[in-house]
């Protein structure tokens, strides 16, 4: 009996020693990253490629292992809050990627900020990072800000001598910010918005809004919406015989836009990621190889090409991969000090090459894209093509 007790005591001492060694050794440390996507529900065309991207994210950052906890909010902003709270309180995550939808992301900022957990938002609206506040300083956006995309579109409108525009946007934070940004840019460039309409993401008809736009007889129409919601206004305009130019934001940059719209979206002009037209991008572009590697890995795993929305999550992983080792100098994963240092390291990201451009963050800019993060693209022969 005494012999057994001695063995048990010796074993416990060895385990304690091993645990202590692991606690002080970075190789044993693990960073937990929560991911919230809308892989079901109305936003699923955005959320599915984002969820599918999680297994492709870096599993090591410096000497630290990285674990991802992926949850689905079913496109419901209320459930987004529940899942984010769960990641913070139950899983003790060091950062959060998500949620997928703009309203969902706006609704969880306060919880991430209160907990001191950095959040990388793969959403369209710039409202998650602008104007900068004490809460939003915890948020980083892995899509192009609206003004970067809008400047390219308005520049093309001016070049094409567009004088009047019909504007239709989704009635949520994405649409609200686009109405503000585009309205200001259009006015500065002598373009008059002659029709200004809203619709819901779940609407099955926009006939009334479309009739008002056609009645105003604009030279062009801009649709500002994300995911599948981009298609309905444009196909309705086509069916009603509208012959003017059609513009879309980067929210339309997904295969489903082409598949659902078919010939009715031919000739559409949008400003979006170089991922859509990779074969036409020069090899000297730093993002071409990163984007190509991501697409090939996604195709190998799922047998299809990812929408650029998936790339927003992939880039979040690349930003974290660079920032985590920097943060680890100031604190251990799981600690308040580590998360604060991670936020600071993300804000100091410089020339981080992603799938869609190069990130240079600053205290005033938590998106970090410049002109390298967008291309003017059109739909030609049912496919994406650089606008010549």
């Amino acid at each position: 009996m005494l012999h057994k007790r001695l063995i048990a005591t010796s074993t416990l001492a060895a385990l304690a020693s091993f645990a202590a060694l692991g606690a002080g050794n970075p190789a044993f440390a693990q960073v937990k990253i929560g991911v919230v996507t809308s892989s079901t529900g109305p936003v699923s065309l955005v959320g599915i490629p984002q969820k599918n991207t999680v297994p492709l994210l870096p599993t090591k950052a410096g000497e630290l292992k990285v674990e991802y906890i992926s949850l689905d909010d079913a496109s419901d902003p209320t459930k987004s809050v529940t899942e984010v709270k769960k990641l913070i309180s139950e899983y003790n995550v060091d950062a959060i990627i998500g949620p997928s939808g703009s309203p969902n992301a706006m609704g969880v900022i306060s919880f991430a900020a209160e907990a001191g957990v950095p959040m990388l938002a793969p959403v369209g609206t710039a409202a998650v990072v602008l104007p900068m506040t004490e809460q939003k300083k915890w948020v980083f956006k892995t899509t192009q800000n609206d003004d970067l995309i809008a400047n390219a579109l308005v520049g093309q409108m001016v070049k094409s001598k567009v004088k009047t525009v019909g504007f239709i946007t989704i009635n949520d934070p994405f649409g609200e910010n686009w109405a503000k940004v585009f309205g200001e840019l259009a006015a500065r460039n002598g373009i008059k918005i002659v029709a200004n309409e809203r619709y819901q993401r779940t609407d099955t008809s926009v006939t009334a809004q479309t009739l008002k736009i056609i009645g105003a007889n604009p030279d062009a129409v801009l649709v500002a919406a994300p995911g599948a919601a981009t298609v309905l206004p444009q196909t309705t305009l086509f069916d009603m015989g509208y012959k003017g130019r059609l513009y879309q934001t980067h929210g339309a940059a997904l295969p489903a836009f082409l598949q659902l719209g078919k010939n009715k979206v031919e000739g559409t002009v949008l400003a979006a990621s170089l991922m859509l037209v990779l074969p036409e991008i020069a090899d000297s572009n730093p993002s071409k190889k990163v984007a190509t590697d991501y697409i090939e890995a996604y195709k190998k795993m799922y047998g299809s090409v990812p929408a650029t929305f998936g790339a927003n999550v992939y880039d979040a992983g690349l930003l974290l991969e660079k920032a985590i080792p920097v943060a680890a100098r100031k604190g251990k994963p799981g600690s308040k000090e580590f998360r604060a240092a991670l936020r600071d390291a993300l804000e100091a990201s410089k020339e981080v090459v992603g799938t869609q451009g190069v990130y240079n963050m600053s205290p005033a800019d938590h998106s970090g894209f410049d002109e390298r993060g967008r291309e003017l693209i059109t739909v030609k022969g049912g496919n994406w093509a650089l606008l010549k």
Side-chain angles (χ1 to χ4, degrees), residues 36-38 50 73 80 84 96-101 104-105 108 119 121-123:
V36 180
T37 60
S38 299
Q50 293 185 338
D73 65 15
S80 299
V84 164
I96 293 170
I97 300 173
S100 300
N104 309 59
V108 301
M119 173 176 147
V123 299

Side-chain angles (χ1 to χ4, degrees), residues 187-269:
R188 287 205 300 267
N189 285 274
I191 298 172
K192 185 176 181 181
I193 299 175
V194 293
N196 201 328
E197 297 297 319
R198 302 289 183 276
Y199 67 108
Q200 300 297 329
R201 191 187 295 266
T202 54
D203 283 351
T204 56
S205 171
V206 289
T207 300
Q209 296 94 319
T210 303
L211 284 171
K212 291 178 183 177
I213 290 171
I214 291 176
N217 194 31
D219 297 330
V221 175
L222 171 62
V223 180
T230 58
V231 180
L232 182 62
Q234 190 158 343
T235 55
T236 305
L237 283 162
F238 181 94
D239 290 341
M240 290 188 170
Y242 179 72
K243 302 298 182 185
R245 290 176 174 268
L246 269 299
Y247 291 87
Q248 290 268 359
T249 73
H250 52 329
L254 73 166
F257 180 75
L258 301 178
Q259 295 158 4
L260 295 172
K262 298 184 172 63
N263 66 305
K264 297 180 182 181
V265 299
E266 187 75 10
T268 303
V269 173

Side-chain angles (χ1 to χ4, degrees), residues 87-377:
L87 288 169
I88 292 169
S89 62
E90 295 182 24
Y91 291 98
N92 197 38
V93 296
D94 293 301
I96 293 170
I97 300 173
S100 300
S102 292
N104 309 59
M106 291 295 292
V108 301
I109 290 173
S110 61
F111 301 101
E114 183 180 355
V117 175
M119 173 176 147
L120 293 96
V123 299
T125 182
V128 293
V129 292
L130 292 174
M132 184 57 65
T133 65
E134 276 300 303
Q135 289 190 337
K136 291 178 184 178
K137 77 177 187 180
W138 288 93
V139 184
F140 299 86
K141 183 169 173 283
T142 56
T143 64
Q144 303 89 337
N145 273 349
D146 302 335
D147 59 345
L148 185 68
I149 299 298
N151 268 296
L153 293 176
V154 171
Q156 209 286 325
M157 289 178 186
V158 170
K159 184 177 179 181
S160 301
K161 297 182 169 41
V162 169
K163 298 295 183 185
T164 56
V165 173
F167 179 66
I168 180 167
T169 188
I170 198 147
N171 191 22
D172 71 6
F174 181 95
E176 290 169 15
N177 202 63
W178 260 97
K180 177 179 180 293
V181 170
F182 178 67
E184 291 172 355
L185 269 177
R188 287 205 300 267
N189 285 274
I191 298 172
K192 185 176 181 181
I193 299 175
V194 293
N196 201 328
E197 297 297 319
R198 302 289 183 276
Y199 67 108
Q200 300 297 329
R201 191 187 295 266
T202 54
D203 283 351
T204 56
S205 171
V206 289
T207 300
Q209 296 94 319
T210 303
L211 284 171
K212 291 178 183 177
I213 290 171
I214 291 176
N217 194 31
D219 297 330
V221 175
L222 171 62
V223 180
T230 58
V231 180
L232 182 62
Q234 190 158 343
T235 55
T236 305
L237 283 162
F238 181 94
D239 290 341
M240 290 188 170
Y242 179 72
K243 302 298 182 185
R245 290 176 174 268
L246 269 299
Y247 291 87
Q248 290 268 359
T249 73
H250 52 329
L254 73 166
F257 180 75
L258 301 178
Q259 295 158 4
L260 295 172
K262 298 184 172 63
N263 66 305
K264 297 180 182 181
V265 299
E266 187 75 10
T268 303
V269 173
L270 67 156
S273 163
L274 56 85
M275 270 183 61
L276 299 184
V277 288
L278 266 187
E280 298 185 69
I281 300 299
D283 291 342
S284 58
N285 187 307
S287 291
K288 184 171 184 177
K289 184 181 186 310
V290 180
T292 300
D293 290 347
Y294 165 60
I295 291 170
E296 289 306 313
Y298 192 101
K299 283 170 64 178
K300 184 177 180 180
M301 184 168 283
Y302 302 105
S304 61
V305 175
T308 58
F309 303 116
N312 303 144
V313 166
Y314 191 77
D315 282 2
L318 296 180
L319 284 162
L320 285 166
E321 183 183 28
K322 297 284 187 185
I324 285 169
V326 178
R329 299 172 196 158
K330 297 185 178 180
K332 292 181 180 179
S335 70
K336 183 177 180 180
E337 292 76 16
F338 176 78
R339 290 165 190 158
L342 184 57
R343 191 217 74 86
D344 292 346
L346 286 166
E347 189 174 82
S349 297
K350 293 289 178 284
E351 291 296 299
V352 177
V353 180
T355 58
Q356 304 177 82
V358 181
Y359 294 88
N360 283 286
M361 303 288 188
S362 72
D365 184 2
H366 277 201
S367 173
F369 279 115
D370 55 26
E371 284 73 14
R372 293 173 291 180
R374 72 179 187 205
E375 299 287 344
L376 275 170
I377 296 167

